[in-house]
Amino acid sequence: MSILKFSFNNPPLDNIAFLLAKKPELHFDYDEIQFEAHQRAFTIAKVTQIDLLSDIQKSLENAFVEGQSYNEWVKELKPTLQKAGWLGKNVEVINPKTNEKKMIEVGATRLKKIFYTNARTTYAQSEARAGYKLPLSEYIRYVAILDNRTRAEHRALHGKIAHKDDKFWKRNYPPNGWNCRCSVEFISKDEMKEQGWVEMSEAEKQLNFAQKDWDYDTRNLEKDDSDLQLIIESKLRKHARNK
């Protein structure tokens, strides 16, 4: 069978190439840049120090290469955040455009969002690029995690199938929302027949389930493979001793 799945805990190196390729950019609010711009820029809302932003990006690179858990990543990053004054319940940040001061909390909720958003988007992009190269897998099947944390619209998408070139995936390919844990399977026409699966109706294909901040094509299929390979070779040399 040619169903393609990816391990969240043991990613291939090219999964993180998308993160490595991003340029750190300061943006006070997440929606200052939208849609495809998030594929080229690494930004974290309310981080106003470029050195801190770069340090966080490097920490994520290390975590993904070394297969660190969220807890391991936080433990190593905390001294950097404390030194920069960007940790705790009352962190003062200043909007560089308006000079307005704001108090925010930098704790587990914010840090988990940073870690898992970057992990899931980089893995999803690698998954998509590999899946589209499979010669016999013409269709994509949406797979949701069916537990009590799954939002209703994602539960409704579970098992939905459309051709991999259908425009439905330009807006609904996961992750398509904050904390989205969904994934996909690349399947062939024969596998669909064996499982008794059918393609979505044309009416269903017109629906858009993506949240506002995720209403764009998250697959990043246009990125040149040669560029990614150069990034892998150059930026991962520092991890050469990591077995």
Side-chain angles (χ1 to χ4, degrees), residues 59-183:
S59 74
L60 288 168
E61 293 175 10
N62 292 338
F64 297 164
V65 170
E66 296 172 7
Q68 290 182 350
S69 66
Y70 162 75
N71 289 332
E72 291 170 329
W73 171 71
V74 167
K75 183 178 179 180
E76 289 194 5
L77 181 62
K78 269 189 175 181
T80 299
L81 299 179
Q82 289 170 334
K83 184 178 180 180
W86 206 75
L87 184 67
K89 292 186 177 181
N90 296 299
V91 175
E92 182 181 272
V93 293
I94 301 175
N95 189 328
K97 293 183 177 180
T98 64
N99 288 323
E100 178 187 3
K101 294 182 180 180
K102 186 173 183 178
M103 302 302 292
I104 65 170
E105 179 176 350
V106 180
T109 298
R110 187 178 294 266
L111 294 175
K112 282 182 179 179
K113 179 177 286 189
I114 293 170
F115 183 84
Y116 287 112
T117 296
N118 282 280
R120 287 169 180 144
T121 53
T122 54
Y123 297 169
Q125 289 175 31
S126 180
E127 174 189 57
R129 295 167 67 82
Y132 272 81
K133 292 177 182 177
L134 292 175
L136 298 179
S137 294
E138 304 173 60
Y139 294 86
I140 294 176
R141 179 175 181 263
Y142 196 100
V143 180
I145 296 176
L146 303 178
D147 59 21
N148 58 7
R149 294 169 52 197
T150 305
R151 65 204 82 181
E153 56 269 32
H154 290 204
R155 183 181 296 273
L157 278 171
H158 180 71
K160 297 296 184 183
I161 297 173
H163 193 277
K164 65 182 182 182
D165 294 328
D166 195 284
K167 64 181 181 180
F168 175 83
W169 299 115
K170 287 186 176 182
R171 304 179 77 176
N172 294 292
Y173 193 95
N176 49 38
W178 292 109
N179 300 317
C180 174
R181 298 172 294 149
C182 300
S183 60

Side-chain angles (χ1 to χ4, degrees), residues 21 25 88 175:
E25 291 185 10

